[in-house]
Amino acid sequence: MRRTPSRRLFAASLLVASVLAPMTAIPAAADHVVAVGRHDEDRTPPDGLGRKLTARLDKAVEKVRREAGIPGVVVGLWMPGKGNYVRATGVADTGTGEPMSTRQFIRIGSETKTFTVTALLELVDDGRIGLDDPISEYIDGVPNGDHITLRHLAGMRSGLFPYSADPDFEHDLLSDPSRSFTPEELLAYGYRHDNTFAPGTQFQYSNSNLVLLGLVIEKVSGHRLGDFIEKRVVRPARLRHTLFPEDHEFPEPHARGYTDQTLSGEVEDSTDWNPSWAWAAGQMISDLRDLRRWAKIVVTGELLSPKTQAQRLKTLPIGDPGTSYGLGIFKSGGWLGHNGSIPGYETVTVYLPSKKATLVVMINTDILVGEQEPSSLVARVVTEIATPKNVYDRPVPLG
């Protein structure tokens, strides 16, 4: 359940109370999030980013957390040759005051799209599909399906109405957040509406696109989407704490998640909501260590041929200054990757090729601050300080 490009789908109210906890540093010498294997070249010096820069980051992150009413924040910044910054601040549970930790699992929402599109592009490399194939070649009943290609779907340029913006879908989900949805049920909500523009002519963020791509992957591969992603993406990337869950499955430890995307508009605990409604667009779970590894893998194309990776990275303007979108990936201030938002949780996982730097942000709320996602506020302030020539700036929701 996500927002339109200009506003969230449900009533927004600021989380006004937040239990404060001290900033927790992870000693660099024992940093459990340092990547292993072929990513050893990314190991950072043991002295962090230096006392002054670290203090500035600590102060800025905590200021944003308090002002935005974010219960808990995890930030990981790795800059080869300069050092790293790994911090947790605030609380994982507002009821008990349990502190936020860098060792927790998190629902990654729309970062799932980078996994789904990677799986799709692997099928392109296998010669089993083509990016310019029409969706009607694989899935029946798609409005204007003869003219909508797989490339249009992966690039958010199909014109299909986003099912998550349908009022009946919103009501059905929020009336019973434990409900399981099938992909076909999700798409049916969107198909009630006319397409919003001709394929390829505009950009519109729509989960309908990714659900269709998930169905294509299942049909062509002969495997369930989660199984195919596990076999062809998660395992080769050596992501040991990343999964496509069944129903409301959520491994321990994890922070509680808080949302105001509710029928009443009041803040609720959404930790155990069933994420099946997001499926190929937003159902997955990961952690800080795996997201760090994944940031570089998805941007450098380690699982794909150079030709196919180049197709993914051809980003086009989306209407927001400084931000463009490729195939399941965006570019903002030179950073490449994706963000994620699902009721109760938000993430940002991006990689800066010019500095071989990685940034991961994990928070346990999705409550907007004005019209801005709180995770974007955290990512922006970190990059303003650490990489002032490359500032991550997502001015409106996209996740």
Side-chain angles (χ1 to χ4, degrees):
M1 188 172 52
R2 213 35 220 116
R3 305 102 205 259
T4 64
S6 61
R7 58 183 292 273
R8 68 181 297 148
L9 296 175
F10 308 118
S13 62
L14 185 64
L15 184 61
V16 295
S18 177
V19 181
L20 303 180
M23 182 88 66
T24 303
I26 305 300
D31 188 355
H32 68 284
V33 294
V34 174
V36 296
R38 66 204 247 185
H39 287 245
D40 283 352
E41 70 271 18
D42 286 349
R43 290 188 182 275
T44 50
D47 56 351
L49 291 174
R51 184 179 301 175
K52 290 184 179 180
L53 183 56
T54 297
R56 287 182 63 198
L57 288 169
D58 283 348
K59 182 178 180 181
V61 170
E62 182 64 3
K63 183 174 185 288
V64 169
R65 189 188 73 77
R66 291 172 182 260
E67 291 181 350
I70 306 170
V73 175
V74 172
V75 175
L77 174 66
W78 297 268
M79 302 182 68
K82 291 188 176 181
N84 62 48
Y85 176 84
V86 182
R87 290 290 191 272
T89 180
V91 296
D93 187 325
T94 59
T96 66
E98 176 188 352
M100 197 71 167
S101 168
T102 61
R103 300 175 184 270
Q104 294 171 322
F105 287 90
I106 192 166
R107 298 195 188 278
I108 63 172
S110 286
E111 288 195 35
T112 301
K113 294 176 173 67
T114 61
F115 290 87
T116 299
V117 172
T118 297
L120 182 86
L121 295 178
E122 288 186 325
L123 291 175
V124 172
D125 277 343
D126 291 346
R128 304 178 70 179
I129 63 173
L131 282 172
D132 295 314
D133 294 344
I135 185 61
S136 60
E137 186 174 323
Y138 304 96
I139 308 297
D140 294 330
V142 181
N144 202 25
D146 289 341
H147 299 98
I148 295 173
T149 67
L150 304 187
R151 187 188 304 274
H152 289 144
L153 294 167
M156 299 292 180
R157 294 177 180 272
S158 70
L160 289 171
F161 186 88
Y163 68 82
S164 55
D166 177 79
D168 288 337
F169 166 77
E170 297 173 16
H171 181 271
D172 292 347
L173 172 61
L174 296 182
S175 296
D176 181 12
S178 66
R179 171 181 172 177
S180 289
F181 290 86
T182 67
E184 292 78 11
E185 287 173 335
L186 297 173
L187 291 169
Y189 287 105
Y191 291 171
R192 299 174 180 179
H193 305 265
D194 292 338
N195 290 9
T196 54
F197 52 80
T201 61
Q202 297 181 45
F203 174 91
Q204 182 184 32
Y205 197 82
S206 172
N207 285 340
S208 298
N209 296 322
L210 269 292
V211 170
L212 280 168
L213 292 181
L215 290 174
V216 170
I217 292 168
E218 289 195 330
K219 184 170 186 177
V220 174
S221 72
H223 297 282
R224 295 172 61 215
L225 177 63
D227 294 339
F228 189 78
I229 288 177
E230 169 69 21
K231 178 181 179 181
R232 292 294 302 272
V233 183
V234 172
R235 289 184 198 166
R238 294 201 298 277
L239 305 178
R240 298 182 177 88
H241 299 96
T242 299
L243 66 149
F244 203 109
E246 297 289 339
D247 297 324
H248 63 275
E249 176 188 4
F250 202 169
E252 295 282 358
H254 57 256
R256 309 301 298 180
Y258 303 94
T259 188
D260 64 353
Q261 296 198 70
T262 59
L263 286 179
S264 67
E266 297 297 316
V267 176
E268 294 182 10
D269 185 326
S270 56
T271 308
D272 297 317
W273 286 16
N274 187 337
S276 66
W277 65 268
W279 198 51
Q283 191 166 340
M284 292 180 69
I285 290 168
S286 191
D287 72 354
L288 182 64
R289 176 175 180 148
D290 277 8
L291 292 179
R292 180 200 174 181
R293 287 181 59 81
W294 182 239
K296 182 178 180 182
I297 290 170
V298 74
V299 172
T300 59
E302 291 183 19
L303 301 181
L304 302 173
S305 69
K307 180 180 178 181
T308 300
Q309 178 67 5
Q311 294 294 304
R312 167 154 61 184
L313 297 184
K314 285 184 178 178
T315 62
L316 298 172
I318 68 171
D320 295 331
T323 302
S324 54
Y325 202 89
L327 303 182
I329 194 169
F330 66 62
K331 186 174 185 179
S332 177
W335 293 89
L336 285 155
H338 217 288
N339 65 331
S341 186
I342 195 165
Y345 302 94
E346 287 193 348
T347 56
V348 174
T349 298
V350 287
Y351 182 78
L352 183 61
S354 63
K355 296 185 181 298
K356 298 183 179 179
T358 300
L359 172 65
V360 177
V361 173
M362 301 165 32
I363 66 175
N364 58 340
T365 185
D366 68 314
I367 299 174
L368 297 184
V369 181
E371 290 192 350
Q372 298 192 66
E373 291 173 319
S375 59
S376 291
L377 297 177
V378 176
R380 182 183 308 150
V381 74
V382 169
T383 55
E384 284 174 342
I385 293 171
T387 58
K389 293 183 179 179
N390 296 99
V391 176
Y392 177 96
D393 188 15
R394 286 288 319 115
V396 295
L398 179 66

